[in-house]
Amino acid sequence: MNSLFEDLKEGLQEAIEFEKGRISAKKTTYMIAPVKEFNPSEIRTIRTAAGMTQTIFACYMGVSKKTVEAWEAGRSHPTGSAFRLMGILSEHKEQAISFFTVE
C-alpha cells in the first residue's frame, strides 16, 4: 500500500508528464441519475415493502415519526436527499437494509 507521500509524488509526476505532452490526461465522467420523487402512497409502499414501521422508517431516514406520518398523509414532502434514499431502498432493498441493524 502506498503512503500518502508516494501517492502525491506519483500524481505530481503524472502532472509533469502530462504538461510535457508525454501522456494524456485520465478522465472519468460520472452520470448522476435524476432524483425520483415519490407520492404519499408510494412512500408508504416503499416503507411497508421494506418491512418497516413508521418509527423504524423514520429512524432509517433520519427524521421523526411525525415527519413520516406527514409524508404519507401528503401534508409535507421529503427533500431530494430523502427521495434519493427512498429510491435506493425501493430499487436495492437488500443492500439498503444491510446498512440498518436492529438490536
Side-chain angles (χ1 to χ4, degrees):
M1 176 180 267
N2 285 345
S3 68
L4 177 59
F5 174 78
E6 291 297 321
D7 288 342
L8 289 171
K9 181 179 170 185
E10 181 181 331
L12 289 171
Q13 287 171 336
E14 287 178 6
I16 292 167
E17 293 298 310
F18 170 75
E19 191 62 31
K20 291 180 178 180
R22 294 182 184 151
I23 62 171
S24 59
K26 297 175 188 173
K27 180 179 176 182
T28 303
T29 303
Y30 295 95
M31 299 299 294
I32 307 296
V35 174
K36 180 180 183 333
E37 295 187 7
F38 299 97
N39 67 41
S41 65
E42 290 171 322
I43 294 170
R44 186 176 198 284
T45 299
I46 290 167
R47 176 182 60 77
T48 57
M52 296 183 190
T53 63
Q54 285 183 333
T55 302
I56 291 174
F57 188 67
C59 183
Y60 181 82
M61 298 298 295
V63 298
S64 71
K65 181 178 182 250
K66 293 275 187 198
T67 298
V68 173
E69 290 171 359
W71 290 347
E72 291 184 1
R75 292 189 309 269
S76 69
H77 305 284
T79 62
S81 57
F83 277 134
R84 177 75 71 190
L85 185 53
M86 285 180 212
I88 292 168
L89 183 59
S90 71
E91 293 180 28
H92 307 284
K93 183 174 68 172
E94 306 304 320
Q95 294 91 339
I97 292 176
S98 70
F99 293 109
F100 181 75
T101 58
V102 178
E103 294 181 13

